Amino acid sequence: MPASGGRARLPEEVRPERTRGEHTHGEPPAPPAVAAHTVRRHSVRGQILRALRSALADGELVPGEVYSAPALGERFGVSATPVREAMQRLAAEGAVEVVPNRGFRVAARGPRELAEIAEVRAMIEAPVILRLARTVPAARWRELRPLACATETAAAEGDRARYAEADRAFHRALLSLGGNAQLVTVAADLHRRSAWPLAAGPAARRADLAADAAQHTALLDALIAGDQEAVRRLVRAHFGGAEV
């Protein structure tokens, strides 16, 4: 507590040093060391988060297995702190589960759970895309071409982690044209939960990714052309035969 009537004082070891009589008027304050440390820490955490997502997408982190932050930190050559922070982010996204005093268990989603997520995604996304197909001008759809191309590139390279991000970006851009931010957030969360490998079995093959990416391009072509029937057919195929 501060002394009576006074302000709390920083400990001597963390107080900023000031040379007696130094002139500071008109000079911009130097960035505090803590800010630089925070930037570096966020940068490391971001890199670790990307690496963990890649390991999840590739099946290197096995569904059902528990991994500790110190062990993963040693693997990546960093301290446990940025790993733990990245894992907490993945836990919020549903990719892992916190196991007290042990670490994080990789979520194990079976075929039924993934099918249920896909059904909910279809219920949310398909009607929006069909509605937008009748109202959004071709010029707006053309703006999404680079995003569709990005999914094709990632698929061709067999980069599952990058494909997952590009796929989400394409769907997010489609839905964003509807102007409902809450719907976009919910759909993105479901999309991310469906991205991880099955509890048993291989991750998506390169051919599977290529076929999915080709549907993006075909759907965008139909939207630009204003071909409502083609849009309906492609939306149904893209969401696994959902009724639309």
Side-chain angles (χ1 to χ4, degrees):
M1 294 179 62
S4 176
R7 296 176 57 190
R9 293 171 59 83
L10 293 174
E12 290 288 343
E13 62 271 16
V14 297
R15 289 185 205 166
E17 294 184 359
R18 181 181 296 275
T19 302
R20 182 182 299 275
E22 68 178 327
H23 178 71
T24 60
H25 298 295
E27 297 179 5
V34 66
H37 173 72
T38 301
V39 169
R40 289 194 297 271
R41 177 173 165 183
H42 285 180
S43 176
V44 171
R45 183 179 62 184
Q47 293 175 31
I48 296 301
L49 183 59
R50 288 191 293 273
L52 289 171
R53 283 178 173 157
S54 180
L56 284 165
D58 291 337
E60 294 176 15
L61 295 181
V62 182
E65 292 294 319
V66 176
Y67 297 88
S68 71
L72 289 172
E74 184 175 351
R75 169 178 172 176
F76 292 119
V78 299
S79 71
T81 299
V83 175
R84 189 173 293 110
E85 292 173 344
M87 279 295 204
Q88 291 288 355
R89 171 71 177 272
L90 291 173
E93 296 173 357
V96 300
E97 304 163 353
V98 178
V99 182
N101 303 318
R102 292 185 60 194
F104 301 86
R105 178 183 291 110
V106 178
R109 306 198 197 289
R112 177 171 180 173
E113 183 177 358
L114 289 175
E116 290 173 348
I117 293 175
E119 182 180 6
V120 176
R121 282 191 60 204
M123 294 171 63
I124 292 176
E125 296 189 45
V128 176
I129 296 173
L130 293 176
R131 174 171 56 83
L132 294 175
R134 299 190 297 269
T135 59
V136 175
R140 296 297 303 278
W141 294 123
R142 291 193 186 96
E143 294 173 0
L144 306 188
R145 183 69 72 186
L147 297 176
C149 291
T151 66
E152 290 187 320
T153 300
E157 295 175 358
D159 190 331
R160 286 182 284 270
R162 190 150 64 90
Y163 182 82
E165 291 298 328
D167 186 32
R168 278 192 290 276
F170 178 76
H171 280 264
R172 183 168 57 246
L174 280 178
L175 298 176
S176 293
L177 292 175
N180 188 328
Q182 298 304 315
L183 182 145
V184 172
T185 298
V186 171
D189 178 66
L190 289 168
H191 200 163
R192 196 176 286 282
R193 288 172 185 270
S194 69
W196 314 122
L198 292 170
R205 298 172 302 166
R206 182 176 298 193
D208 298 329
L209 300 182
D212 196 61
Q215 289 181 346
H216 292 160
T217 300
L219 175 59
L220 197 55
D221 288 342
L223 288 166
I224 293 171
D227 189 338
Q228 303 294 322
E229 186 53 40
V231 169
R232 182 178 296 276
R233 183 177 68 253
L234 289 164
V235 166
R236 180 171 184 174
H238 197 61
F239 287 103
E243 291 296 330
V244 296

